[in-house]
């Protein structure tokens, strides 16, 4: 083997040592598979040349002495000779089994048949008579060039990346161990987007928008201010998560939009705390939820209790047979409202209006009415 | 002399008018769409009646075809993949960048076929990642000094024209015939 260096610009632009008789090594006799025999000569060449399954045993054969001039030698054309001059030994042929793959494939790159040492095939063959009955191998395979590969992300690569960036890492800040602590110190969540485009313009109009999220409970608001805040932000408030989301894209720049949101938040907060004159004109229909103290239920219950009390007084019943033994002598509003029976009734009615008519709420209401009116009948068992 | 120069300038201005330049390229767009997904089920036409991108069988059945050519356009994404890889078809991107990407890709292909004349054995594959464009493909082995020059020239000129980093990732095959998949 003459160690003449072949000019190689192939793959990694390394200077490789190739056999000057390269191309003669791979020849017809290796095609022993039956389904390969009918394939045309040109197709054969392609599969034989860099096929991974074919082992080079030509060099191990017994060399026969050939008398020069005895046999007719087919000479190569000059163009073919010249072409062969450029033909280089692929790199995967010279690789050691224990080589460092990260040195061979340092970063993301298109699949190179001459560098990847393992056998791989891609393609569809409609019939077993086509292309030798096997999908195309890696040599001259355009499909493998198209698809993305992860040859630059082997465990060895990842380890080296981690080692390289380790010196830039700082310890996790103390006091921010849990999500709750992070939320406590950084209640505002700002979301912005950046867009990357491989074209003549790096501008993207979508990049200007900014979003700020926060929990309403993090703001210092009383009942009125909170209610006003929710009314002001409208659909931007999520009742289930107690989160407010403010988005702005009216300004041309991201920073301007963010500044606008912060301004908006400040204005909303201070506006919520102010009580305007017209807010005192709020009627029962304007209420955001059911208030027992403002509604007819309160009046009715108080009147009913007072009415029962007067009837009992008129009949002069003894305390043992009184319908409502818990009623005090002094029936002032404060005394009646302080009764635990009335309190539980108030709670049950409020829940029924403000929440939903669920089974639990209805049961609670039933119990409250029974205790309030002292109804002690037992449920009849279905016989 | 002055009159000649003026007419020359006028001619040049006409030649480099943007509208003219676009119409020149758009004229050839149909040819470049040969193997795009546009052919797929267009206007409800059955697949058997679509002829674009499909190869005719020769009389002697000796017409060499590459793998790319054997697969009709309706099998893109099934047995062969796209020649242009980008995010232009995604929701939100479509309205903004798709036309620009197609236009740039056609320009790159025309540039490559002209600059790398008769060298490409495969199609020009254009992949877009982040802000960079990667041009890949298979070429026939020839004088490596020329190829070094062409790679540098292409990267430099296309980066300048498209205003983003362009990488040329070229591989070689010994012969263009090595790409032949079957004869029809």
């Amino acid at each position: 083997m003459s160690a003449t260096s072949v000019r190689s610009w192939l793959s990694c632009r390394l200077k490789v040592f190739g056999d000057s008789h390269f191309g003669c090594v791979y020849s017809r006799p290796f095609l022993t598979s039956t389904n390969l025999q009918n394939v045309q000569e040109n197709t054969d060449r392609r599969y034989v040349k860099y096929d991974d399954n074919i082992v080079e045993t030509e060099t191990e054969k017994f060399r026969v002495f050939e008398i020069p001039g005895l046999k007719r030698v087919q000479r190569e054309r000059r163009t073919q000779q010249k072409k062969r001059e450029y033909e280089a030994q692929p790199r995967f042929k010279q690789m050691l089994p224990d080589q460092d793959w990260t040195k061979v494939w340092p970063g993301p790159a298109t699949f190179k048949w001459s560098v990847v040492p393992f056998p791989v095939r891609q393609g569809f063959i409609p019939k077993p008579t086509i292309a030798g009955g096997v999908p195309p191998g890696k040599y001259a395979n355009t499909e493998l060039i198209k698809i993305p590969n992860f040859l630059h992300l082997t465990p060895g690569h990842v380890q080296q990346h981690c080692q390289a960036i380790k010196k830039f890492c700082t310890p996790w800040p103390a006091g921010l161990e849990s999500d709750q602590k992070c939320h406590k110190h950084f209640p505002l969540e700002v979301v912005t987007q950046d867009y990357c485009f491989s074209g003549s313009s790096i501008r993207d109009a979508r990049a200007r928008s900014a979003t700020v999220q926060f929990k309403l409970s993090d703001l210092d608001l009383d009942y009125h201010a909170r209610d006003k805040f929710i009314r002001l932000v409208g659909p931007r408030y999520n009742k289930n998560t107690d989160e407010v989301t403010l988005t702005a894209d009216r300004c041309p720049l991201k920073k301007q939009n963010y500044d606008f949101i912060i301004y908006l938040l400040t204005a909303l907060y201070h506006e919520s705390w102010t009580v305007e004159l017209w807010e005192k004109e709020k009627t029962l229909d304007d209420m955001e939820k059911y208030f027992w103290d403002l509604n007819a239920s309160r009046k009715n219950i108080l009147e009913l209790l007072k009415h029962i009390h007067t009837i009992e007084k008129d009949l002069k019943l003894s305390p043992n047979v009184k319908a409502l033994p818990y009623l005090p002598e002094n029936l002032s509003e404060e005394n009646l409202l302080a009764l635990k029976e009335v309190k539980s009734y108030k709670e049950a009615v409020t829940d029924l209006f403000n929440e939903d008519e669920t089974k639990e709420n209805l049961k609670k209401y039933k119990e409250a009415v029974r205790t309030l009116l002292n109804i002690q009948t037992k449920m009849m068992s279905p016989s | 002399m002055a009159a000649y120069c003026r007419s020359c300038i006028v001619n040049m201005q006409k030649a480099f008018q943007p509208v003219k330049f676009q119409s020149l390229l758009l004229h050839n767009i149909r040819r470049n769409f040969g193997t795009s997904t546009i052919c797929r089920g267009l206007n409800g036409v059955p697949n058997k009646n679509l002829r674009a991108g499909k190869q005719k069988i020769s009389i002697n059945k000796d017409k060499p075809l590459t793998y790319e050519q054997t697969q009709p356009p309706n099998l893109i994404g099934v047995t062969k993949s796209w020649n242009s890889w980008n995010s232009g078809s995604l929701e939100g991107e479509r309205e903004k960048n798709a036309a620009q990407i197609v236009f740039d890709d056609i320009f790159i292909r025309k540039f490559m076929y002209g600059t790398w004349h008769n060298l490409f054995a495969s199609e020009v594959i254009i992949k877009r990642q982040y802000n960079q464009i990667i041009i890949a493909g298979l070429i026939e082995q020839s004088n490596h000094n020329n190829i070094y020059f062409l790679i540098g020239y292409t990267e430099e000129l296309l980066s300048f024209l498209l205003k983003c980093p362009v990488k040329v990732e070229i591989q070689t095959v010994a012969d263009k015939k090595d790409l032949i998949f079957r004869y029809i």
Side-chain angles (χ1 to χ4, degrees):
Chain A
M1 181 177 173
S2 61
T4 52
S5 64
V6 176
R7 285 174 290 170
S8 165
W9 48 272
L10 195 83
S11 63
C12 288
R13 301 167 190 178
L14 283 174
K15 205 175 186 184
V16 293
F17 295 97
D19 194 342
S20 59
H21 296 290
F22 180 70
C24 308
V25 180
Y26 313 96
S27 56
R28 183 88 187 166
F30 297 113
L31 287 170
T32 48
S33 175
T34 47
N35 60 356
L36 287 178
Q37 281 172 1
N38 298 332
V39 187
Q40 292 186 36
E41 188 61 39
N42 272 328
T43 325
D44 282 355
R45 188 176 172 231
R46 177 185 167 177
Y47 287 97
V48 171
K49 197 155 187 184
Y50 297 113
D51 205 322
D52 314 298
N53 303 335
I54 294 163
V55 190
E56 291 174 50
T57 48
E58 186 85 357
T59 47
E60 295 163 12
K61 270 189 179 177
F62 185 75
R63 288 185 299 159
V64 182
F65 178 70
E66 285 180 0
I67 302 159
L70 191 69
K71 271 186 183 176
R72 195 194 169 105
V73 183
Q74 212 172 3
R75 282 193 178 176
E76 271 186 316
R77 283 185 189 167
R78 185 160 287 182
T79 49
Q80 281 177 333
Q81 275 181 356
K82 203 168 183 189
K83 195 180 258 185
R84 205 153 47 71
E85 204 179 302
Y86 300 120
E87 212 169 298
Q89 186 86 329
R91 191 178 170 188
F92 77 88
K93 294 255 174 207
Q94 298 143 30
M95 286 177 178
L96 295 168
D98 58 344
Q99 67 173 341
D100 185 6
W101 177 247
T102 57
K103 297 266 184 344
V104 180
W105 204 281
T110 307
F111 183 90
K112 292 192 198 80
W113 67 267
S114 57
V115 178
V116 175
F118 51 84
V120 57
R121 293 176 181 279
Q122 187 171 4
F124 169 73
I125 41 163
K127 280 183 263 178
T129 50
I130 294 167
V134 282
K138 66 184 177 186
Y139 174 64
N141 194 335
T142 328
E143 292 306 304
L144 285 169
I145 298 174
K146 290 177 187 175
I147 56 166
N149 65 62
F150 293 95
L151 294 167
H152 62 287
L153 284 177
T154 61
H157 282 99
V158 176
Q159 200 179 12
Q160 286 196 14
H161 283 307
C162 293
Q163 288 297 328
I165 61 170
K166 213 171 190 176
K167 58 174 174 283
F168 301 115
C169 295
T170 51
W172 187 258
L176 295 176
E177 288 81 14
S178 63
D179 284 352
Q180 284 80 14
K181 284 182 181 173
C182 286
H183 177 77
K184 193 189 158 203
H185 294 291
F186 302 99
L188 278 192
E189 191 183 333
V190 184
V191 182
T192 56
Q193 292 93 24
D194 288 306
Y195 292 88
C196 192
F197 177 57
S198 52
S200 48
S201 173
I202 55 166
R203 309 270 171 249
D204 199 311
R206 291 172 296 175
R208 72 183 190 282
S209 71
T211 304
V212 169
Q213 271 189 333
F214 59 91
K215 289 216 174 213
L216 195 55
S217 54
D218 291 336
L219 290 183
D220 181 24
L221 300 169
D222 66 352
Y223 181 81
H224 163 264
R226 187 187 151 87
D227 176 49
K228 197 170 175 185
F229 196 97
I230 291 168
R231 283 168 192 259
L232 285 171
V233 295
R236 293 167 197 88
Y237 174 67
N238 187 346
K239 199 169 67 177
N240 301 326
T241 54
D242 192 40
E243 267 184 352
V244 180
T245 311
L246 298 175
T247 309
D249 59 352
R250 56 176 64 194
C251 304
L253 290 178
K254 190 181 290 174
K255 175 75 167 58
Q256 293 169 341
N257 278 315
Y258 169 74
D259 288 346
F260 173 71
I261 292 174
I262 298 302
Y263 156 74
L264 199 65
L265 182 56
T266 317
L268 276 169
Y269 178 77
H270 289 293
E271 190 56 41
S272 311
W273 273 102
T274 54
V275 183
E276 303 288 341
L277 277 175
W278 47 262
E279 282 183 44
K280 281 164 192 158
E281 296 164 15
K282 198 175 174 186
T283 60
L284 214 56
D285 292 338
D286 302 326
M287 290 299 168
E288 61 280 1
K289 60 181 189 182
Y290 182 85
F291 291 100
W292 189 76
D293 291 320
L294 303 176
N295 271 280
S297 176
R298 177 179 183 266
K299 198 180 127 213
N300 292 345
I301 280 298
L302 292 183
E303 273 178 9
L304 179 72
L305 292 179
K306 276 176 190 168
H307 190 62
I308 292 171
H309 190 69
T310 43
I311 290 171
E312 282 176 349
K313 227 175 190 175
D314 292 347
L315 292 173
K316 290 177 183 170
L317 292 171
S318 66
N320 297 340
V321 284
K322 266 186 179 177
L324 302 178
Y326 61 83
L327 280 182
E329 280 305 311
N330 182 12
L331 284 183
S332 67
E333 281 201 2
E334 293 79 44
N335 280 358
L336 283 176
L337 290 175
L339 290 171
K340 73 172 196 311
E341 285 79 7
V342 177
K343 270 184 180 169
S344 72
Y345 178 77
K346 171 190 173 182
E347 203 182 308
V349 175
T350 312
D351 282 356
L352 210 56
F353 274 99
N354 286 342
E355 289 172 22
D356 210 5
E357 285 192 10
T358 58
K359 232 175 188 177
E360 287 75 37
N361 281 344
L362 282 170
K363 200 177 170 189
K364 204 170 147 192
Y365 178 70
K366 184 182 90 178
E367 292 300 326
V369 172
R370 283 176 77 172
T371 46
L372 187 74
L373 301 178
N374 197 17
I375 302 166
Q376 289 174 347
T377 49
K378 281 180 183 172
M379 286 287 286
M380 296 285 284
S381 58
S383 55
Chain B
M1 186 64 189
Y4 172 77
C5 284
R6 201 176 297 132
S7 70
C8 199
I9 288 163
V10 168
N11 281 340
M12 275 177 70
Q13 280 174 345
K14 273 185 186 171
F16 287 101
Q17 270 174 356
V19 179
K20 182 103 179 173
F21 177 65
Q22 284 195 3
S23 67
L24 198 75
L25 279 176
L26 288 169
H27 180 70
N28 289 321
I29 276 182
R30 183 182 281 187
R31 227 170 44 183
N32 289 284
F33 270 137
T35 53
S36 79
T37 44
I38 274 184
C39 310
R40 200 171 183 179
L42 194 72
N43 298 330
V45 178
N47 237 344
K48 67 182 172 65
N49 293 342
L50 289 171
R51 295 181 192 174
K54 287 182 181 174
Q55 300 288 335
K56 279 186 181 176
I57 297 168
S58 61
I59 298 165
N60 297 328
K61 303 221 172 169
D62 58 351
K63 186 177 165 189
L65 290 184
T66 63
Y67 181 81
E68 175 84 21
Q69 287 162 338
T70 53
Q71 311 296 328
N74 60 311
L75 289 180
I76 294 171
V78 184
T79 56
K80 72 169 177 184
S81 45
W82 295 262
N83 287 340
S84 293
W85 284 70
N86 52 61
S87 59
S89 58
L90 296 179
E91 182 67 32
E93 296 285 320
R94 206 180 307 141
E95 303 80 14
K96 203 181 144 28
N97 297 328
Q100 186 66 38
I101 289 171
V102 172
F103 192 80
D104 284 354
D105 281 4
I106 290 168
F107 173 72
I108 291 168
R109 293 221 160 84
K110 296 198 88 64
F111 181 93
M112 294 302 281
Y113 284 130
T115 311
W116 298 68
H117 186 68
N118 212 15
L119 279 171
F120 262 83
S122 72
E123 285 71 25
V124 177
I125 293 151
I126 302 166
K127 296 186 266 189
R128 283 158 192 268
Q129 268 186 335
Y130 320 121
N131 67 337
Q132 68 175 3
I133 299 173
I134 296 161
I135 300 169
L138 290 165
I139 62 164
E140 204 175 23
Q141 289 173 5
S142 62
N143 190 355
H144 60 283
N145 284 329
N146 294 352
I147 304 298
Y148 278 143
F149 168 75
L150 279 176
I151 288 174
Y153 174 78
T154 309
E155 285 184 351
E156 193 69 23
L157 210 60
L158 282 180
S159 300
F160 182 74
L161 289 170
L162 301 169
K163 298 182 182 67
C164 67
V166 176
K167 271 166 83 180
V168 177
E169 293 187 344
I170 291 295
Q171 296 170 59
T172 59
V173 287
D175 198 338
K176 277 184 184 173
K177 284 179 185 165
D178 293 345
L179 264 82
I180 294 168
F181 179 67
R182 67 183 293 195
Y183 292 83
I184 63 166

